[in-house]
Amino acid sequence: MIKVAVNGYGTIGKRVADAVAAQPDMEIIGVSKTKPGAEAFVAKERGYPLYIADITKKESFEKAGIQVAGSVSDMIQKADIIVDATPGGVGEGNKALYEKYGKKAIWQGGEDHEVAGFSFNSSCNYAEAIGKQFARVVSCNTTGLCRIINLIDTAFGVKKVRATMVRRGGDPGDVKRGPIDAIVLNPVTIPSHHGPDVQSILPNINIVTSAMIVPTTLMHMHFLNMELKNPATKEQVIELIKAHSRLGLIEKSTGIISTAELKEYACDLLRPRGDLWENGIFKDSISVLEGTDLYLFQAIHQEADVVVETVDCIRAMAGSVKTASESIAITNKAVGLTAIR
Ligand SMILES: NC(=O)C1=CN([C@@H]2O[C@H](COP(=O)(O)OP(=O)(O)OC[C@H]3O[C@@H](n4cnc5c(N)ncnc54)[C@H](O)[C@@H]3O)[C@@H](O)[C@H]2O)C=CC1
Ligand SMILES: O=C(OP(=O)(O)O)[C@H](O)COP(=O)(O)O
């Protein structure tokens, strides 16, 4: 069993912990929090040993009825690999600790590519991750872009991509974020950071992205245009999407044309936390004009899509499973992911 520690049991960390715990070849040996709170009680209920960044706060946890297993250093020494899911920009500061104990580590998209020196997406570069000590799972938006762009590029060749991200302002549990009533150009500059982030995994893709933030928490929405090198039909694109286990297809017959309805659908499917791990591509939006001009809309559940990617990254870095398709199948089966059709 691969012994996994989650440093930063928050929005992403708690989902990664549950996804890892469901795997046949992995186990959670500990998770970390900085202060007592609801998620610490969830970790206790799940039976995840709780470690803390600042051991001097042990009393505050124990007063709250939460047993502390030790310090983050203690946790790191017990693990084979650490998933760093601390807030964006915090994880970089933990690298020295991981190096000190000679441990493998995976950061999330809030860290720069340079922190790990390798950015990961299971359907794009799984083989390159095998045996690596450090990796970064790219952010939710970049994950969603890489999955579909790589698929289309492999099948038809992609001359250029133009994409706009309409990003959620914060997660449902983020009570301190916004905007409440504005559309915020973020970033105002074009291209946004998403294009270069995609190129950290798909360096040959000509891509220009733009982004904004809007008052919603449920999901991001992407507008995607890809100019193809070779002609394609809408039907061919649909068949390719259907054959990809991390690309969901939202049928017109569901009546779903919004993130709210899609989220409700995921909840009704009894997905844990209503999580949509796959891209939510709106079938009716797929169009191919003049044979080589592809357009589509896709919803991206920011809290979820990076979670299954992180599990595959663990397996690749451990070197226990050599192919993406095998790892993805194991991960998907263990969490109960059958992409929506
Ligand atoms: N929330 C989202 O929608 C997505 C987040 N990400 C990335 O995932 C990473 C984690 O983000 P979230 O889970 O949203 O953060 P979060 O704020 O929900 O959770 C981070 C957790 O880390 C712990 N923490 C805070 N400060 C710490 C410190 N100094 N040392 C150790 N632990 C500390 C706390 O337990 C906190 O709950 C970031 O890199 C973020 O960019 C990637 C995709 C989507
Ligand atoms: O918006 C996101 O990443 P992005 O910078 O790729 O657009 C992710 O949802 C993570 O962002 P957050 O740090 O605002 O949670």
Side-chain angles (χ1 to χ4, degrees), residues 7-13 32-34 39 53 84-90 94 108-111 138-140 168 171 174 302-303 305-306:
N7 191 17
Y9 190 73
T11 302
I12 298 300
S32 78
K33 288 299 291 179
T34 50
E39 286 159 344
D84 190 299
T86 56
V90 170
N94 296 324
Q108 293 295 316
E111 308 302 327
V138 291
S139 85
C140 42
R168 66 84 173 93
D171 297 325
D174 287 345
Q302 72 281 357
E303 299 166 296
D305 69 341
V306 298

Side-chain angles (χ1 to χ4, degrees), residues 251-273:
E251 293 284 351
K252 179 179 183 177
S253 53
T254 64
I256 295 171
I257 56 169
S258 73
T259 54
E261 293 159 319
L262 183 54
K263 178 68 178 182
E264 186 69 4
Y265 187 50
C267 291
D268 289 344
L269 291 174
L270 302 180
R271 290 285 185 88
R273 301 183 179 92

Side-chain angles (χ1 to χ4, degrees), residues 10 42 55 86 95 97 99 178 189 201 215 225 231 259 330:
V42 172
I55 200 67
T86 56
K95 183 172 183 180
L97 206 50
E99 287 178 317
T189 52
I201 291 182
N225 169 230
T259 54
I330 295 167

Side-chain angles (χ1 to χ4, degrees), residues 118-335:
F118 173 75
S119 291
F120 178 84
N121 174 268
S122 61
S123 47
C124 297
N125 62 2
Y126 181 96
E128 292 172 52
I130 291 173
K132 278 202 181 295
Q133 182 179 8
F134 296 135
R136 174 187 77 130
V137 170
V138 291
S139 85
C140 42
N141 284 301
T142 306
T143 291
L145 290 169
C146 284
R147 285 172 175 170
I148 186 68
I149 292 169
N150 184 57
L151 177 76
I152 299 301
D153 185 42
T154 304
F156 306 108
V158 169
K159 272 186 192 168
K160 66 180 179 181
V161 181
R162 298 296 179 261
T164 294
M165 267 61 63
V166 181
R167 303 157 75 193
R168 66 84 173 93
D171 297 325
D174 287 345
V175 296
K176 297 174 182 172
R177 294 175 70 172
I180 298 291
D181 183 8
I183 299 173
V184 182
L185 297 178
N186 181 315
V188 70
T189 52
I190 297 174
S192 69
H193 59 278
H194 302 93
D197 217 23
V198 167
Q199 291 169 330
S200 71
I201 291 182
L202 301 171
N204 300 321
I205 294 293
N206 171 353
I207 178 170
V208 173
T209 53
S210 56
M212 62 196 77
I213 290 180
V214 296
T216 186
T217 66
L218 300 176
M219 296 184 188
H220 303 304
M221 185 71 81
H222 292 177
F223 164 76
L224 258 167
N225 169 230
M226 288 182 258
E227 186 182 338
L228 310 180
K229 292 177 180 171
N230 300 299
T233 65
K234 171 172 179 165
E235 293 66 31
Q236 286 174 319
V237 171
I238 288 170
E239 287 314 304
L240 281 171
I241 291 168
K242 284 182 174 177
H244 192 300
S245 68
R246 297 259 171 93
L247 295 178
L249 209 50
I250 301 158
E251 293 284 351
K252 179 179 183 177
S253 53
T254 64
I256 295 171
I257 56 169
S258 73
T259 54
E261 293 159 319
L262 183 54
K263 178 68 178 182
E264 186 69 4
Y265 187 50
C267 291
D268 289 344
L269 291 174
L270 302 180
R271 290 285 185 88
R273 301 183 179 92
D275 281 357
L276 195 78
W277 297 291
E278 66 272 44
N279 297 23
I281 296 171
F282 292 80
K283 186 176 180 183
D284 255 27
S285 74
I286 300 170
S287 64
V288 181
L289 306 183
E290 298 172 355
T292 56
D293 208 11
L294 171 60
Y295 296 86
L296 61 87
F297 283 126
Q298 63 177 11
I300 298 298
H301 185 193
Q302 72 281 357
E303 299 166 296
D305 69 341
V306 298
V307 172
V308 289
E309 300 298 329
T310 301
V311 173
D312 291 319
C313 193
I314 291 167
R315 202 171 277 124
M317 289 166 73
S320 49
V321 171
K322 303 299 186 194
T323 66
S325 57
E326 192 182 355
S327 178
I328 290 166
I330 295 167
T331 300
N332 287 4
K333 182 181 179 187
V335 301

